[in-house]
Amino acid sequence: MIRTRNAHAHFLRGFALLLFLAASGTAALADGETAPARDPKQPVDDAYTAKIHKYTTQPFFTSPLVDYLPASKTVPTPEAVLGDVAGAPGILPYAEDVYKYMRLLEKNSPRVKVFSIGKTEEGREMIAVAVSSPENLKNLDENRARLAKLADPRTIKLDDAEADRIVAQSVPVYYITGTIHSPETGAPTALMELAYRLAVDESPYIREIRDGMITLITPVVEVDGRDRMVDIYRWHLSHPKDFYPPLIYWGKYVAHDNNRDAMGVTLKLTENVLNTYVDWKAQVLHDLHESVPYLYDNTAGDGPFNAWVDPILTDEWEMIGWRNVSDMTKFGMPGVFTHGVFDTWSPGYLMFIAAMHNGISRLYETFGNGGADTLPRTLDPEEYARTWYKQNPPLPKTLWSQRDNNNYEQTGLLTSLHYFNENKRLFLKNFYLKAKRSVTKPGAEGPAAYVLPADDPRSSSQAELLRVLQKQAVEISRATSAFTVTLPVKKSTKPKKDAKDSKEKDAPPAPTTHEFPAGSYIVRMDQPYSRIADALLDYQYWSPDDPQKTPYDDTGWTFGELFGVQVTRVTDSKVLDVAMERVKVIHAPSSVSGDATIYAINNNAEPTLATLRYKLRDASIEAAEESFESAGKKFARGSFLIRNATRAQLNDAIADLGLQATPVSAMPSVKTHPVRAARIAFVHTWLSTQAEGWWRIALDNLGIPYDYISTQVVSKTSDLNTKYDVILFPPVGFFSSPTAIINGLPSTWGNPLPWKTTPETPNLVGKNDSTDDMRPGLGWEGVANLQNFVNKGGVLLTATDTSRFALSIGLADGVSVGNAQRMKIVGSVVGTRLVDGASPIAYGYDEKLSAYCDNGPIFSLSSVSGARGGRRLGNESHTRPTGRGTADDPDFTVGRPGVEVPEEPKAEIWENPLLTDEQLHNNYRAIPPANRARVIFRYADSKELLISGLVEGGDEIAQHAAVVDVPTGTGHVILFSINPVYRGETRGTYSLVLNTILNFDSLNAGRKLAEK
Ligand SMILES: [Zn+2]
């Protein structure tokens, strides 16, 4: 400790002395390499440069590339917009100001062009800024056409010699993206200054970059979040003594997870960056983050690497990453490293758009202060420890400024750009080779294609999955006639114990064939972007023995499983010869046949059924409680029976919902109940809004209306039932213990933390919610209000941590949560099994359902109030006591006739344990059958639990309840252990939530009660 403090004092004393000896070391260079330094002839903007030095806290926190600013007679510096230099303390520009500056550059320099690349959810603009030589910018289209040939080698018939010719003529595109994570605030100013340097500096090192390649920059990726963050920072500046509010909302829907959307492409920012990356045929996507001292190039991460990336890419990561470390180490900049703890398994990160589209993904973590204050920063021991991959670690303690951060960001980028340019022929050729290997995939590692059958009953979910693939620039085809493929038989991994001779052991399993109807969708793997389709549609296996014990993110995501649609992996290359045509727009076919007063729509758990219910507000819709047949068609439980809607109205409403309305002559004889458009309250906390944000976007996209209210509003609303039928309380996420949900943030000290739009903070609320003080939680009044709501007939739906919350405050009786001892299910796809298909929550579902689970709570049921469920002690062993006879014989008592031993009631793990007569005797705690929890879905048996990802110690949760309906008072509490709505990836489980909403006042339908 003392040593650390002294070291810091020493640095501060040496500060003035060392400042002008700033990193001048130009390292030994390879033959022909240009020195990374200013050209002595390059004029310098002295005033700006002096400020750079002033705001840099240590002489070694900069480099010869950025410790001066080149002067220009015509092009304004960032000071023109910022009022100070980039990275100056106290200055954090709004996105609009950043754009203003970029457009000022465009106006004053022929080397800069600004492109609008789309809007955010809240309508703010996103831009991409191209910096290159005027000639390159003039020839953008010709160059793009060349790059397009490398990106799609089919266009040059996979001709390597032709590729070499194109490579020699092409200018590569290096795409840099900043500030996807709003509290990581440094990139916009760093990128403003970088654009200026690239545009005006005549030093050979910079000129080579400018002439040799196109640098493309999106300075702000999360624009909505940036503007809110700047609001918060300005609030902080005007209330310097107060605590400032945490950034509870970044984008409209999600926070940090905006960098986990590169699979589902649910957010605009992902779509816009993806389109820009693909349209520009860029070779690199380099995303800037700020959470690790001082510069962590986490691209060359730890294992396991994503199985679908090309090994050519993983080599490129190492080349660029280590060269980057080497260059900056030679500048004398401490704390620059690669490798580190990040595993490279999930393709959900924004940068992975490049990895999955034959480019190079890169990610920097530099060191940010979460604003523009200069702060003393003390590191954790593991952060400043020297490791094999971090031989020059950061300092244990230092004064750190936004300018320091900007120096690191710019130095890293400039050396990367230069190295990339030096080796651009290699990287362009690799770009082509990776695309070629994507095209030749069917004949190499395979598969040949994925097929989504035309007769999948979930056509709207199928269409949604195909649309995700199309957003990923994957080509979709459709078979024009029926076709048959040979499917390989799954090899059993277990040795056949009973195989009597080697003949039986070695006999190859017979292949099977499968016929697909005309109109089936074919995702060909002989296309340039087959890689992303394969990564999304294939299965993932993360070995519990993997040396990586802390997966960085989800371990499994198989989209076909999570969307609840049929996807067949076809290795038979004959599938590529099937007659097919490319599909530009995916439609989910809907139809209304015939004119009638009653229409029936089959229930296949399609989320669009809920859309229809809310669209047809005036129609009367009933759900059939049993399956029935009508007009020669079979209708499953939960099928809609619609009256009071004309054919035209129905036709209009179901367009593109993927639903078929069939006229029926009369109501079927089975029992029905009304399907009403429930009034929904959607509850969020002021602790975190991200997990619920994924629920909000799902409801918004489906057109399900709701009131978005905070726990504070719940605490002030004593009669929730008059306003709402259903309260959704989606998962909270971080720090969300039951006490945190109730208590909120500490409020016995400190100041109120307002989240509201004021002249000072014009962007804070956006289109979400506001409060004068974020600190108060649900409070005990809120608990009482929720309890009242449920007791008086309301339906409260909770998932994962909010289910724990509901159980811990006693909102639902007869269910307890067990603690996992060894279980590790890290963002995996797991199997569940239907237990009670008569429950409306299960309408449209099959026996098997795949779901997303992230160490979900382990529910156990009890038939005794307040008792913990789970296996009862002593119930496990049925060995007979010591006595006469063999092991299977009954014992006897000498001198009296034998008696029959009463059979112990047995229940499965997911069931309510039955009570014995003894347990029932005067047991006022015994829960009457009608009040007991009703299990709708349970987790699969241990051996069938893993679908994709990592499941370790899965026996702890196997067979336990996964979705439970607990009657409480006259209402219901619905508990999910899985998370049914997650990152736009789990459409297959959405209807568990939507069914609850649609059948809120008939949830007891089909319930069979135990006798006692
Ligand atoms: Zn980040």
Side-chain angles (χ1 to χ4, degrees):
M1 283 303 278
I2 288 167
R3 224 163 59 103
T4 307
R5 263 204 305 277
N6 283 348
H8 183 228
H10 169 78
F11 286 142
L12 291 181
R13 271 200 307 277
F15 181 70
L17 184 71
L18 283 168
L19 188 61
F20 296 104
L21 305 173
S24 58
T26 40
L29 300 166
D31 283 350
E33 270 194 73
T34 310
R38 176 177 75 87
D39 187 322
K41 286 179 293 216
Q42 170 64 48
V44 168
D45 184 328
D46 290 323
Y48 195 107
T49 300
K51 281 185 177 166
I52 291 179
H53 286 224
K54 185 176 162 199
Y55 302 145
T56 300
T57 62
Q58 290 289 353
F60 41 78
F61 288 157
T62 188
S63 73
L65 292 172
V66 299
D67 66 354
Y68 71 97
L69 194 81
S72 165
K73 290 201 174 73
T74 51
V75 183
T77 73
E79 201 165 5
V81 165
L82 298 175
D84 203 333
V85 309
I91 293 185
L92 219 52
Y94 286 112
E96 202 181 282
D97 297 325
V98 179
Y99 297 175
K100 197 166 135 195
Y101 178 66
M102 295 301 194
R103 291 195 158 110
L104 211 53
L105 281 181
E106 180 184 39
K107 208 175 135 200
N108 292 285
S109 168
R111 295 164 174 173
V112 179
K113 267 191 164 180
V114 178
F115 299 83
S116 202
I117 62 166
K119 294 265 169 78
T120 66
E121 277 78 7
E122 294 183 2
R124 292 180 179 87
E125 186 190 19
M126 287 178 70
I127 64 165
V129 184
V131 192
S132 195
S133 69
E135 200 193 343
N136 288 340
L137 292 181
K138 201 177 77 207
N139 298 325
L140 275 184
D141 289 342
E142 292 89 329
N143 189 59
R144 190 196 313 256
R146 279 190 293 272
L147 294 177
K149 287 183 185 165
L150 299 178
D152 186 354
R154 295 172 304 183
T155 57
I156 53 168
K157 303 189 172 60
L158 314 189
D159 181 345
D160 293 353
E162 175 64 8
D164 285 334
R165 279 190 291 277
I166 297 168
V167 162
Q169 302 161 355
S170 297
V171 178
V173 179
Y174 193 112
Y175 187 18
I176 301 163
T177 48
T179 316
I180 184 173
H181 283 166
S182 306
E184 301 164 15
T185 50
T189 49
L191 293 172
M192 288 162 77
E193 195 176 281
L194 183 82
Y196 173 83
R197 290 177 188 282
L198 288 173
V200 309
D201 201 323
E202 295 300 340
S203 302
Y205 192 83
I206 303 296
R207 216 172 49 225
E208 285 169 13
I209 298 171
R210 182 167 65 233
D211 294 344
M213 58 197 289
I214 296 160
T215 306
L216 191 64
I217 300 168
T218 291
V220 185
V221 172
E222 175 59 275
V223 189
D224 299 334
R226 171 68 180 188
D227 285 0
R228 284 194 254 281
M229 183 64 203
V230 176
D231 274 6
I232 296 264
Y233 184 67
R234 288 155 62 107
W235 191 92
H236 155 65
L237 290 181
S238 58
H239 304 77
K241 296 219 169 78
D242 286 346
F243 295 111
Y244 50 90
L247 197 67
I248 185 89
Y249 295 97
W250 299 12
K252 177 167 167 57
Y253 294 107
V254 299
H256 192 269
D257 260 11
N258 59 10
N259 196 33
R260 301 293 185 275
D261 187 44
M263 288 194 266
V265 199
T266 310
L267 306 174
K268 290 285 179 208
L269 62 86
T270 316
E271 200 176 344
N272 294 338
V273 169
L274 200 163
N275 287 342
T276 305
Y277 181 81
V278 169
D279 289 350
W280 281 75
K281 312 296 170 197
Q283 281 63 56
V284 185
L285 179 57
H286 190 154
D287 196 30
L288 301 179
H289 292 252
E290 299 165 25
S291 69
V292 179
Y294 299 126
L295 189 154
Y296 170 34
D297 177 349
N298 84 353
T299 324
D302 202 351
F305 283 176
N306 178 282
W308 292 266
V309 297
D310 199 306
I312 294 174
L313 169 61
T314 60
D315 297 340
E316 289 173 323
W317 285 340
E318 305 292 336
M319 289 169 68
I320 301 180
W322 289 107
R323 171 60 191 248
N324 211 173
V325 173
S326 173
D327 278 345
M328 294 179 74
T329 303
K330 288 182 212 169
F331 290 144
M333 300 174 87
V336 179
F337 66 104
T338 187
H339 190 75
V341 294
F342 171 76
D343 75 59
T344 310
W345 177 246
S346 161
Y349 315 101
L350 187 83
M351 61 154 174
F352 240 71
I353 288 171
M356 292 288 116
H357 293 82
N358 306 323
I360 300 172
S361 53
R362 297 198 71 203
L363 191 148
Y364 275 174
E365 295 282 5
T366 58
F367 200 35
N369 285 349
D373 290 359
T374 301
L375 300 170
R377 297 296 301 267
T378 307
L379 305 188
D380 292 335
E382 69 266 22
E383 287 179 307
Y384 59 76
R386 187 175 58 78
T387 64
W388 70 263
Y389 56 84
K390 200 178 354 179
Q391 287 288 355
N392 182 7
L395 311 176
K397 190 168 181 179
T398 193
L399 188 71
W400 187 256
S401 68
Q402 179 170 238
R403 181 65 216 185
D404 296 333
N405 183 33
N406 278 195
N407 289 340
Y408 270 75
E409 284 173 317
Q410 289 190 69
T411 302
L413 288 169
L414 286 170
T415 53
S416 292
L417 289 168
H418 194 268
Y419 174 70
F420 190 83
N421 183 55
E422 290 270 297
N423 298 279
K424 66 182 161 196
R425 303 291 162 230
L426 168 72
F427 290 122
L428 280 168
K429 184 67 184 286
N430 283 355
F431 178 64
Y432 161 77
L433 285 175
K434 285 178 281 183
K436 182 181 165 190
R437 282 151 68 107
S438 296
V439 173
T440 55
K441 190 179 182 62
E445 78 273 20
Y450 285 90
V451 179
L452 288 79
D455 54 1
D456 192 319
R458 301 199 174 109
S459 61
S460 94
S461 295
Q462 183 189 64
E464 280 302 313
L465 174 52
L466 290 167
R467 285 178 193 131
V468 170
L469 293 175
Q470 282 194 322
K471 282 186 190 172
Q472 295 277 6
V474 173
E475 298 166 1
I476 312 285
S477 304
R478 219 169 171 192
T480 49
S481 53
F483 63 97
T484 303
V485 297
T486 305
L487 298 179
V489 165
K490 263 202 170 173
K491 269 193 215 145
S492 171
T493 48
K494 286 155 225 125
K496 279 185 199 150
K497 268 189 208 149
D498 301 331
K500 290 197 181 69
D501 50 52
S502 60
K503 221 169 149 192
E504 194 182 324
K505 251 185 221 163
D506 299 339
T512 55
T513 58
H514 189 87
E515 187 178 324
F516 292 98
S520 292
Y521 291 98
I522 300 175
V523 185
R524 302 177 65 104
M525 290 291 112
D526 58 349
Q527 60 167 305
Y529 299 140
S530 62
R531 197 182 300 282
I532 179 65
D534 198 18
L536 294 180
L537 299 177
D538 205 349
Y539 289 76
Q540 293 77 41
Y541 180 75
W542 183 303
S543 167
D545 300 327
D546 195 283
Q548 177 65 266
K549 293 301 172 200
T550 50
Y552 200 82
D553 204 74
D554 289 343
T555 58
W557 49 81
T558 311
F559 269 42
E561 295 285 350
L562 289 179
F563 274 64
V565 302
Q566 300 163 27
V567 176
T568 307
R569 185 178 193 264
V570 178
T571 52
D572 179 0
S573 60
K574 280 203 218 82
V575 69
L576 300 172
D577 301 329
V578 168
M580 63 180 94
E581 50 196 24
R582 279 278 300 279
V583 185
K584 289 274 184 277
V585 182
I586 304 287
H587 290 291
S590 291
S591 70
V592 182
S593 53
D595 258 313
T597 50
I598 310 171
Y599 290 93
I601 298 180
N602 196 15
N603 194 330
N604 293 304
E606 282 278 59
T608 45
L609 280 169
T611 308
L612 181 69
R613 169 63 282 188
Y614 282 89
K615 268 189 175 180
L616 286 178
R617 283 207 170 261
D618 298 327
S620 140
I621 302 181
E622 305 258 315
E625 295 188 3
E626 293 298 334
S627 59
F628 64 92
E629 278 192 44
S630 181
K633 286 191 179 173
K634 280 188 178 159
F635 292 88
R637 273 197 189 111
S639 290
F640 276 19
L641 293 151
I642 304 174
R643 285 178 292 191
N644 299 342
T646 65
R647 181 179 178 173
Q649 286 169 331
L650 194 52
N651 215 8
D652 196 39
I654 71 171
D656 227 34
L657 296 183
L659 302 172
Q660 269 69 45
T662 308
V664 292
S665 48
M667 286 292 277
S669 55
V670 298
K671 207 176 162 206
T672 65
H673 65 249
V675 177
R676 287 191 247 271
R679 301 164 303 160
I680 304 167
F682 186 117
V683 176
H684 73 89
T685 64
W686 288 103
L687 300 169
S688 172
T689 61
Q690 169 156 293
E692 57 90 350
W694 290 115
W695 288 53
R696 250 187 300 135
I697 197 168
L699 291 187
D700 287 356
N701 288 343
L702 287 165
I704 315 291
Y706 55 87
D707 278 1
Y708 185 57
I709 62 174
S710 75
T711 45
Q712 294 176 357
V713 172
V714 172
S715 75
K716 286 177 202 129
T717 311
S718 56
D719 195 0
L720 290 159
N721 302 72
T722 58
K723 294 174 93 170
Y724 305 113
D725 305 307
V726 176
I727 293 179
L728 300 181
F729 196 1
V732 174
F734 310 103
F735 314 118
S736 55
S737 66
T739 42
I741 290 172
I742 295 169
N743 294 336
L745 299 167
S747 54
T748 40
W749 59 85
N751 49 278
L753 301 171
W755 185 273
K756 57 198 289 198
T757 298
T758 63
E760 202 173 32
T761 54
N763 304 289
L764 264 202
V765 175
K767 297 182 173 91
N768 291 324
D769 202 358
S770 63
T771 178
D772 290 331
D773 187 1
M774 290 166 66
R775 297 176 303 166
L778 178 66
W780 295 102
E781 302 86 345
V783 170
N785 291 342
L786 280 181
Q787 194 157 38
N788 261 330
F789 171 75
V790 175
N791 282 336
K792 283 159 58 184
V795 174
L796 173 68
L797 187 149
T798 60
T800 66
D801 55 17
T802 53
S803 292
R804 274 179 196 277
F805 159 78
L807 292 171
S808 65
I809 59 164
L811 281 182
D813 206 354
V815 181
S816 59
V817 183
N819 287 325
Q821 306 297 317
R822 309 173 313 279
M823 183 178 82
K824 238 169 115 178
I825 301 179
V826 185
S828 304
V829 186
V830 300
T832 69
R833 297 289 178 267
L834 181 65
V835 173
D836 193 339
S839 162
I841 297 170
Y843 282 167
Y845 282 103
D846 311 317
E847 294 295 316
K848 292 182 175 183
L849 174 65
S850 297
Y852 173 83
C853 175
D854 187 34
N855 281 332
I858 303 170
F859 295 146
S860 289
L861 272 58
S862 168
S863 303
V864 177
S865 172
R868 286 197 78 78
R871 285 195 187 89
R872 280 159 295 165
L873 277 177
N875 210 18
E876 308 276 47
S877 75
H878 291 279
T879 52
R880 52 157 294 187
T882 310
R884 72 147 284 279
T886 66
D888 302 329
D889 283 339
D891 196 9
F892 62 30
T893 303
V894 174
R896 73 168 212 226
V899 290
E900 196 74 16
V901 177
E903 211 166 293
E904 273 236 353
K906 265 191 213 153
E908 300 286 359
I909 286 180
W910 62 88
E911 289 177 331
N912 274 298
L914 298 172
L915 298 176
T916 62
D917 293 338
E918 284 294 306
Q919 287 168 319
L920 282 167
H921 180 66
N922 189 36
N923 191 348
Y924 40 82
R925 286 182 181 275
I927 304 173
N931 296 73
R932 289 179 200 164
R934 181 185 191 186
V935 175
I936 318 300
F937 275 91
R938 65 168 175 91
Y939 285 102
D941 298 354
S942 190
K943 276 183 188 147
E944 293 173 313
L945 193 58
L946 171 66
I947 305 274
S948 261
L950 167 65
V951 171
E952 191 179 351
D955 51 319
E956 291 188 321
I957 202 167
Q959 298 193 329
H960 283 261
V963 183
V964 195
D965 168 4
V966 188
T968 299
T970 56
H972 295 258
V973 178
I974 315 299
L975 306 163
F976 284 79
S977 168
I978 59 167
N979 184 353
V981 187
Y982 179 73
R983 290 184 179 171
E985 298 171 7
T986 61
R987 192 179 169 94
T989 44
Y990 286 3
S991 286
L992 296 169
V993 175
L994 300 170
N995 281 342
T996 305
I997 291 171
L998 295 179
N999 300 281
F1000 71 95
D1001 54 354
S1002 301
L1003 289 177
N1004 284 333
R1007 177 148 201 199
K1008 285 196 184 66
L1009 299 180
E1011 278 171 36
K1012 54 186 184 182

